[in-house]
Amino acid sequence: MSVNQYIEHNRDRFLSELFDLLRIPSISADSTRAGDVRRCAEVLADYLRKAGADNVLLEETAGYPIIYGEKIIHPGLPTVLVYGHYDVQPSVPDELWVTPAFEPTIRDGKIYARGACDDKGQVFMHVKAFETMMQTNTLSCNIKFMIEGEEEVGSNNLGPYCKNNKDKLRADVILISDTGIVANDTPSIDVGLRGLSYVEVEITGPRIDLHSGVYGGAVANPINILCSMIAGMHDENRRITIPGFYDKVLDVSESDREAMGKIPFDLEDYKKHLDIENIMGEKGFTTIERTGIRPTLDVNGIWGGYIGEGAKTVLPSKAYAKISMRLVPNQISSEITEMFQHYFESIAPKGVKVKVTPHHGGEPVLTPTDSVPFRAAAMAMKETFGKEPIPTRGGGSIPIVALFEKELQTKTVLMGFGLDSDAIHSPNEHYGIFNYFKGIETIPQFFKHFAALKQ
Ligand code: BES
Ligand code: MN
Ligand code: MN
């Protein structure tokens, strides 16, 4: 049986098995789900075993286990290390889901569930592609799997694991499906990801909440202050005002920007999809550039004071915000965090206290387009989409990619199949059945071309 025949033949099962995985609420950020996260690892490890992987085990860490598995067919063949994550983002706000986040449902040819695209659906494509290659006797490279359960909370235990298991993880390439393509008729491969610096800030005014009439107008209100501090962090051109913030940003060549300009993008569709009247961003850059090659600063959450029912007249003691900065080559996460902290403290008026707490960060990455892995991925996609994929820059972050290069000296290829409109991290996350099976078809082609190019 050919690869495509095998996939066709097992279509329903490939979907129903993915659904088993999607039913498990493996939310790494929610400690009340710890049992579910672990159960998800066990279920996925079992699928890996059933698919034909050897030495499948849950590698214990200080946090959630890393699933390892391998099939070494010949020491002389090239080795592909597949990375992905089985943890997912929280499903809140649950009331906005048309069908519950952990009851996978098909509508309009799409699988709706938290993790359908990010990243269980994309990880499972690899498990099913591997099963397909095993069953059709077409596996042409050694394969290793490393699937973690803490990607959405910063991958804190993966770095040390890689460092301590360099030999075991030795590979010729790391293959990741945790990104997207431009459109189903426009295949693309991300050749860059943004880095991340994430901080939480706390502004303290008076020692206790006060009556907003008795004290209002006479005492610094920490929420008012926080809002004006945050508002001041962008100038009229929507550039970030932190001194030095752009100093290390690598210039992108005119020819690269020209190529980005050719990526299909429909502004009207974009606005319509988001239900916004206009877009907004840094002056002088297109939308694709703003999300691909430019750094950002965004408030992800802000709170304080009274947010219950009705009106309570209170001048709050404290105000908080969570702020993310997306970074581009060659910004360094720790330096940007430090710049932020310094600047934030310096712009705070007397009369409030400021506390900045750094959360996880990660470095931006650029992957080469003239490499064997990229060429193999491009050839594979050309074969299954019937079109040459275009190189693109992903706006999201997978901080561990930079670490793989550092700890394992191994390059990554980001062969993802999601769409920007898949609503990852949002209510009603979904993944196209088309995309799921396109991934399962394309992965074996990658192995074929990678082995051939490596000869
Ligand atoms: N898969 C995403 C990253 C992504 C999405 C890259 C789309 C490119 C295109 C990943 O799971 C993710 O969400 N990463 C986090 C960072 C992490 C440290 C929490 C992110 O980008 O916010
Ligand atoms: Mn992901
Ligand atoms: Mn994610």
Side-chain angles (χ1 to χ4, degrees):
M1 214 188 276
S2 75
V3 162
N4 284 354
Q5 279 168 340
Y6 185 85
I7 296 168
E8 195 50 45
H9 203 250
N10 291 282
R11 227 181 134 81
D12 291 347
R13 182 172 55 82
F14 283 5
L15 275 172
S16 70
E17 289 177 352
L18 170 61
F19 278 31
D20 287 343
L21 216 59
L22 293 174
R23 280 192 194 97
I24 307 172
S26 53
I27 305 167
S28 50
D30 181 350
S31 57
T32 69
R33 300 293 198 181
D36 293 311
V37 183
R38 181 163 282 276
R39 186 160 56 90
C40 188
E42 279 160 10
V43 170
L44 185 53
D46 263 336
Y47 276 123
L48 211 44
R49 264 180 219 115
K50 276 189 238 153
D54 298 326
N55 303 320
V56 177
L57 48 113
L58 299 191
E59 308 260 33
E60 292 304 331
T61 71
Y64 291 118
I66 294 159
I67 305 169
Y68 178 84
E70 62 182 21
K71 188 77 203 178
I72 307 298
I73 43 180
H74 193 281
L77 285 171
T79 302
V80 177
L81 176 60
V82 173
Y83 163 82
H85 61 97
Y86 62 83
D87 65 321
V88 298
Q89 287 272 325
S91 54
V92 285
D94 284 294
E95 66 279 11
L96 294 185
W97 287 76
V98 174
T99 48
F102 298 103
E103 290 175 24
T105 312
I106 293 177
R107 284 197 302 280
D108 307 329
K110 295 169 194 127
I111 307 156
Y112 282 83
R114 171 58 84 234
C117 172
D118 183 14
D119 185 34
K120 287 174 181 173
Q122 299 212 59
V123 162
F124 211 61
M125 297 181 322
H126 284 274
V127 180
K128 294 297 104 177
F130 169 60
E131 175 193 317
T132 300
M133 291 187 279
M134 290 295 288
Q135 294 301 319
T136 55
N137 251 313
T138 52
L139 185 64
S140 51
C141 303
N142 299 315
I143 184 167
K144 295 176 179 176
F145 289 90
M146 171 174 59
I147 319 288
E148 71 156 318
E150 298 182 302
E151 196 276 343
E152 300 291 10
V153 289
S155 303
N156 287 337
N157 294 297
L158 193 61
Y161 172 76
C162 290
K163 205 173 185 159
N164 296 331
N165 290 277
K166 280 189 187 170
D167 277 332
K168 185 171 178 171
L169 300 173
R170 199 169 299 282
D172 297 280
V173 64
I174 297 171
L175 178 61
I176 305 180
S177 298
D178 194 20
T179 54
I181 51 175
V182 170
N184 283 351
D185 59 1
T186 312
S188 58
I189 300 171
D190 276 347
V191 293
L193 288 173
R194 290 198 281 190
L196 183 66
S197 161
Y198 200 110
V199 296
E200 187 165 332
V201 299
E202 180 190 301
I203 307 274
T204 307
R207 163 178 75 78
I208 43 166
D209 287 1
L210 303 170
H211 189 289
S212 66
V214 175
Y215 289 94
V219 173
N221 177 327
I223 299 184
N224 293 6
I225 299 289
L226 177 60
C227 290
S228 63
M229 285 169 76
I230 287 169
M233 296 187 99
H234 285 97
D235 69 12
E236 64 282 7
N237 294 322
R238 304 220 60 79
R239 278 174 68 89
I240 294 147
T241 52
I242 300 173
F245 188 83
Y246 293 96
D247 283 1
K248 288 200 174 166
V249 171
L250 211 61
D251 274 337
V252 176
S253 70
E254 273 313 309
S255 64
D256 277 5
R257 287 184 71 183
E258 225 166 83
M260 294 182 93
K262 293 197 182 119
I263 297 171
F265 176 77
D266 187 319
L267 184 59
E268 290 314 309
D269 278 356
Y270 189 82
K271 292 193 289 193
K272 199 169 158 213
H273 176 67
L274 300 177
D275 194 17
I276 52 175
E277 252 178 56
N278 214 347
I279 49 165
M280 184 185 263
E282 187 181 356
K283 195 176 171 188
F285 295 94
T286 66
T287 299
I288 285 180
E289 289 172 341
R290 285 168 179 171
T291 58
I293 58 169
R294 299 301 294 168
T296 64
L297 183 150
D298 276 295
V299 179
N300 293 237
I302 183 161
W303 71 102
Y306 182 67
I307 52 167
E309 198 184 331
K312 180 191 182 208
T313 49
V314 63
L315 195 158
S317 165
K318 283 180 185 288
Y320 306 84
K322 290 180 192 278
I323 296 171
S324 70
M325 288 162 278
R326 297 284 170 175
L327 313 179
V328 298
N330 286 327
Q331 290 177 299
I332 298 169
S333 168
S334 57
E335 287 182 5
I336 294 293
T337 301
E338 217 171 281
M339 274 179 206
F340 175 94
Q341 179 154 10
H342 190 256
Y343 183 59
F344 203 72
E345 286 166 0
S346 77
I347 61 173
K350 283 215 171 65
V352 297
K353 296 185 198 77
V354 174
K355 196 167 114 193
V356 177
T357 310
H359 283 282
H360 50 245
E363 307 310 330
V365 283
L366 269 182
T367 63
T369 50
D370 56 357
S371 66
V372 164
F374 183 87
R375 275 165 51 213
M379 289 162 87
M381 280 187 146
K382 167 125 204 243
E383 213 159 310
T384 55
F385 284 87
K387 250 190 199 178
E388 195 76 44
I390 43 180
T392 45
R393 304 272 199 112
S397 311
I398 310 177
I400 203 69
V401 174
L403 248 128
F404 287 151
E405 271 188 34
K406 188 168 152 245
E407 299 296 354
L408 303 173
Q409 287 84 46
T410 312
K411 293 271 183 219
T412 293
V413 58
L414 297 161
M415 194 170 74
F417 295 87
L419 296 174
D420 281 355
S421 56
D422 283 345
I424 63 172
H425 296 203
S426 296
N428 302 305
E429 175 178 352
H430 54 271
Y431 193 40
I433 294 177
F434 169 90
N435 304 70
Y436 180 57
F437 284 103
K438 197 55 97 179
I440 299 174
E441 282 167 34
T442 307
I443 292 160
Q445 302 307 324
F446 173 84
F447 277 73
K448 181 183 85 183
H449 290 298
F450 188 65
L453 288 172
K454 275 296 217 177
Q455 289 307 306

